[in-house]
Amino acid sequence: MATATPRVHRTPPTCPQPECPQPCPGVPGCPQPCPGAPAAPAASSLSRVSLQAAMPEEPLVCADTATRCRVSSVLNRDVKQFGKTHMFDANEETCWNSDQGPVQWVTLDFPRTVKVSRLHVQFQGGFSSRLCTLEGCRTGEELAKISELYPEDSNALQSFPVQETVLDKLRITFENGTDFFGRIVIYHLRVLGERL
């Protein structure tokens, strides 16, 4: 597996509204949507609830979801060594390693409707993404933006609260990668929430 020196990531943006008492969504530590920011457009029939509402969190990626998962690319098309299923096998020695490219993505199709509330991701430092865009939809609908996340360029497992969203499909797009060639390396990807 290739190694590289981690690079410094950019600081996430803060709220453009001076009267806003807290950071914008996607900034670590922001507990809820920013009251001073412009409202996001409605995303078809995606159902959203406040992050403050308590709900049990359980892993949502089952064996069926892992099998049906799609990724933008695999390094040298070597799915045995670097394939998508390695993100979900709980093995510290295996990973999904994308090929080169400016934007990489992972799409998860859940066998039943879920309510997503949290995302865990563990990159390899130097092969991470400074910006992750989450999109989701119900069956038969178009993907709609849920939120943006700003991961650290680190080997640590990172946890991100997500505005609770009811969906059947989730796409995570990795933009602005820290690797010069745009490769993304993920050891663990977990989606938490509730099965409906």
Side-chain angles (χ1 to χ4, degrees), residues 79-93:
V79 295
K80 185 173 182 180
Q81 187 172 357
F82 300 117
K84 60 188 182 182
T85 57
H86 294 311
M87 287 184 284
F88 314 110
D89 63 7
N91 185 338
E92 299 291 333
E93 303 299 319

Side-chain angles (χ1 to χ4, degrees), residues 46 48 133-137 144-148 162-163 165 167 169-170:
L46 289 178
R48 295 180 178 168
T133 302
L134 303 187
E135 298 173 285
C137 66
K145 185 174 178 178
I146 299 170
S147 64
E148 293 180 344
V162 177
Q163 188 170 1
T165 307
L167 49 79
K169 178 186 287 188
L170 176 67

Side-chain angles (χ1 to χ4, degrees), residues 3-9 124-128 130 153-155 178:
T3 58
T5 302
R7 300 178 184 154
V8 178
H9 69 285
Q124 177 181 331
F127 296 89
S128 62
R130 296 180 183 94
D153 184 15
S154 162
N155 295 325
T178 58

Side-chain angles (χ1 to χ4, degrees), residues 33-192:
C34 173
S44 61
S45 65
L46 289 178
S47 172
R48 295 180 178 168
V49 190
S50 169
L51 276 175
Q52 292 179 332
M55 70 169 272
E57 289 183 336
E58 61 179 311
L60 300 178
V61 178
C62 62
D64 189 30
T65 306
T67 302
R68 294 170 15 173
C69 167
R70 290 178 292 133
V71 293
S72 51
S73 63
V74 175
L75 184 64
N76 300 326
R77 299 185 182 178
D78 186 350
V79 295
K80 185 173 182 180
Q81 187 172 357
F82 300 117
K84 60 188 182 182
T85 57
H86 294 311
M87 287 184 284
F88 314 110
D89 63 7
N91 185 338
E92 299 291 333
E93 303 299 319
T94 62
C95 62
W96 167 57
N97 194 329
S98 79
D99 218 326
Q100 300 180 25
V103 176
Q104 304 295 336
W105 51 262
V106 172
T107 300
L108 301 170
D109 286 299
F110 298 96
R112 58 185 278 192
T113 303
V114 298
K115 183 189 292 182
V116 174
S117 61
R118 184 170 297 273
L119 181 77
H120 290 174
V121 62
Q122 184 177 13
F123 295 100
Q124 177 181 331
F127 296 89
S128 62
S129 174
R130 296 180 183 94
L131 170 63
C132 297
T133 302
L134 303 187
E135 298 173 285
C137 66
R138 301 296 305 274
T139 301
E141 296 180 353
E142 295 292 320
L143 288 168
K145 185 174 178 178
I146 299 170
S147 64
E148 293 180 344
L149 311 176
Y150 300 90
E152 301 281 337
D153 184 15
S154 162
N155 295 325
L157 182 66
Q158 300 178 60
S159 177
F160 300 95
V162 177
Q163 188 170 1
E164 292 177 14
T165 307
V166 176
L167 49 79
D168 297 297
K169 178 186 287 188
L170 176 67
R171 173 171 284 194
I172 307 162
T173 303
F174 304 101
E175 306 172 58
N176 199 9
T178 58
D179 174 56
F180 180 78
F181 297 103
R183 295 165 295 184
I184 298 291
V185 177
I186 297 180
Y187 283 87
H188 300 293
L189 179 63
R190 300 172 191 148
V191 180
L192 304 178

